Amino acid sequence: MEILIVDGGGRLHGDVRVDGAKNASLPIMAASILISGDACINRVPDLVDVQTMSLLLQSLGADVSRSEGTLQIDTRRVTGHHADYELVRRMRASVCVLGPLLARFGRASVSLPGGCNIGHRPIDLHLKGLTALGADLRIERGYVVAESTQLRGADVFLGGPSGSTVTGTCNVMTAACLAKGRTVIRAAACEPEVADLGRFLNAAGACISGLGSSTIEITGVEELASVTHTVVPDRIEAATFAIAAAATRGSISIHDVLPSQMTSVLDALRAIGVDIQVAPDRVDIATSGDLTGVELAALPFPGIPTDTQAQFMALLTTVPGVSVVTDRVFPDRFIHASELVRMGARIRREGASVVIDGGGQLTGTSVMASDLRASAALVVAALAADGESQIRRIYHLDRGYAHLEQKLTRLGAKVIRR
Ligand code: EPU
């Protein structure tokens, strides 16, 4: 199994370009099932999760091809409606095919995704939304089996105990595109990736308004036609580079980003003492002065993304003073804390938060990645640490960061894969 070896202690400097967003690409690929024609999707990142979604679409009968960053998906010959456990267990986002399959074929059988290292991840809200549209849903031998003769628009509240649901909103919004009449999704996810999916669907002929807000309205149409779309920048990848630069006290420029989608992250970095300049598609990060500990909480958009919580934790272990990190989206997403402790961090869990006594020098050692963003946090810590770190189970990283070691090497880091 491959490991990443990081020789830490150097400052990151230079320029980096971010890819298209993983969490927009995956639901957009799934939604191509609805299109009676070709979907041409630009700026799709070269990730294992994208390969998994391609395999899933191919297993249903779709033609999927890739040239550079562009995916061509033709779902005209799709006849399958069964998403098998073998593929779904590799990637939870596979559940995004549920709404599109149901809307196109009137039936879908999608494996329940199973356990996850970032905490409890039910899909009850997906099921609630699709039931409101008139689907008949049951759980059979580990699969969600959904049927409907005609989906009908409905007024659906999709809020749960932790706020909105990103892929749940995607599933219901996509299914509603071909439902009869008007659907209103209340407490919809406002994440830019959900809005990007909506723009893709609108470009294909859907009628969706309110994208980016917590109330999304969809008027059903007869069919969706061929479409070309360019995926939004990956704000989580951009945030990871920004945080890594701060952790190494470096100075970098991050290109091809939308800073307006990163306000909470940039605000938190400024509160920590990082200097930030923004241009329309660029963020410049510099760390000239002292950094200080902060209290921060991961929340649904526009709050600090839970997908940056682990990286912020790694940064804050290097910052003098006490910091408190809380995750209100996935309250148990703290497995990385114990690996950071192995690198010398002083972190203790207190209920739904961790308290960090920051500012000590991290030291390189062997650490184990437990999920995608935990892996990113270990990379951030390893870049800031004194000496060599070996990060194991980096297949998690390849699910969400394309060409990470090449990009870091260009920023002056000493990183190799072995
Ligand atoms: N929730 C429910 N019921 C549901 C669905 C969710 O209670 O039916 C709860 C979850 O347990 C959680 C909260 O609602 O507490 C938010 O979960 P959400 O459904 O929004 O998460 P998701 O759609 O499964 C997406 C991203 C995750 C990201 C979360 C939160 C994709 C493919 N995945 O997951 O990305 O952490 O939203 O922003 O879009 C990652 O990229 O590393 C990653 C895990």
Side-chain angles (χ1 to χ4, degrees):
M1 212 174 282
E2 291 181 325
I3 64 173
L4 209 63
I5 300 176
V6 182
D7 189 8
R11 295 170 194 258
L12 295 188
H13 58 88
D15 297 80
V16 65
R17 294 190 182 282
V18 302
D19 281 292
K22 166 181 86 77
N23 289 346
S25 301
L26 298 173
I28 286 173
M29 290 174 70
S32 68
I33 290 172
L34 283 192
I35 290 173
S36 325
D38 295 307
C40 172
I41 314 166
N42 298 315
R43 207 183 186 197
V44 178
D46 183 12
L47 299 172
V48 170
D49 273 8
V50 166
Q51 288 163 17
T52 305
M53 183 59 87
S54 300
L55 287 175
L56 179 54
L57 294 175
Q58 284 163 341
S59 77
L60 298 167
D63 286 332
V64 183
S65 60
R66 185 180 185 111
S67 168
E68 305 280 314
T70 299
L71 276 189
Q72 291 279 357
I73 304 177
D74 176 355
T75 60
R76 273 171 283 222
R77 279 189 290 278
V78 168
T79 49
H81 59 273
H82 177 79
D84 201 73
Y85 176 66
E86 211 30 61
L87 287 168
V88 176
R89 73 180 175 83
R90 295 191 208 167
M91 181 184 73
R92 294 188 63 89
S94 306
V95 77
C96 290
V97 300
L98 179 60
L101 285 175
L102 179 67
R104 171 144 173 208
F105 297 109
R107 55 198 305 215
S109 142
V110 177
S111 171
L112 284 168
C116 180
N117 284 338
I118 67 175
H120 185 46
R121 295 180 76 181
I123 59 161
D124 56 307
L125 297 169
H126 302 228
L127 306 187
K128 175 185 173 188
L130 295 173
T131 303
L133 297 184
D136 177 22
L137 289 160
R138 55 189 190 281
I139 307 293
E140 252 175 35
R141 296 169 183 266
Y143 282 75
V144 183
V145 179
E147 284 168 345
S148 120
T149 38
Q150 169 69 68
L151 293 176
R152 290 187 184 278
D155 199 308
V156 198
F157 179 77
L158 278 193
S162 308
S164 51
T165 162
V166 172
T167 51
T169 303
C170 293
N171 254 328
V172 178
M173 179 169 80
T174 312
C177 286
L178 296 191
K180 218 173 183 51
R182 179 169 160 269
T183 297
V184 182
I185 304 176
R186 300 184 195 276
C190 303
E191 270 67 7
E193 295 76 20
V194 177
D196 200 40
L197 167 66
R199 280 191 292 275
F200 166 81
L201 291 164
N202 277 345
C207 186
I208 306 172
S209 60
L211 291 168
S213 80
S214 60
T215 305
I216 297 179
E217 292 191 28
I218 306 116
T219 304
V221 296
E222 286 295 317
E223 64 170 13
L224 301 184
S226 294
V227 59
T228 297
H229 178 78
T230 300
V231 172
V232 282
D234 196 320
R235 63 195 169 99
I236 308 299
E237 187 196 7
T240 302
F241 282 117
I243 293 169
T248 65
R249 310 301 188 260
S251 297
I252 67 170
S253 292
I254 308 169
H255 298 261
D256 298 344
V257 288
L258 283 176
S260 58
Q261 297 182 347
M262 297 179 63
T263 311
S264 56
V265 166
L266 300 180
D267 191 61
L269 285 170
R270 282 196 183 100
I272 293 167
V274 179
D275 302 323
I276 293 170
Q277 301 293 328
V278 296
D281 65 349
R282 197 184 79 230
V283 176
D284 299 330
I285 305 285
T287 39
S288 49
D290 292 339
L291 303 187
T292 69
V294 293
E295 197 165 326
L296 57 84
L299 291 162
F301 190 81
I304 294 172
T306 173
D307 292 341
T308 64
Q309 176 260 107
Q311 300 90 310
F312 266 116
M313 195 188 295
L315 162 62
L316 290 169
T317 65
T318 72
V319 170
V322 174
S323 292
V324 181
V325 174
T326 307
D327 196 322
R328 299 208 190 284
V329 179
F330 292 114
D332 290 319
R333 194 178 197 175
F334 290 132
I335 297 181
H336 44 276
S338 44
E339 292 301 292
L340 293 172
V341 167
R342 296 191 57 257
M343 298 179 75
R346 294 183 296 259
I347 301 176
R348 68 172 193 281
R349 176 100 186 246
E350 279 193 10
S353 302
V354 298
V355 180
I356 302 160
D357 177 14
Q361 175 63 54
L362 297 177
T363 48
T365 186
S366 277
V367 284
M368 187 92 85
S370 53
D371 73 71
L372 168 55
R373 308 305 171 184
S375 322
L378 295 179
V379 173
V380 170
L383 289 168
D386 190 22
E388 186 182 285
S389 299
Q390 297 104 30
I391 305 173
R392 287 160 205 279
R393 298 202 179 154
I394 52 162
Y395 53 82
H396 290 295
L397 269 182
D398 296 332
R399 295 187 46 203
Y401 293 90
H403 315 298
L404 182 66
E405 61 268 32
Q406 290 89 330
K407 289 185 180 186
L408 286 173
T409 302
R410 259 179 256 132
L411 291 173
K414 294 184 189 141
V415 184
I416 53 165
R417 182 183 289 247
R418 198 172 63 201

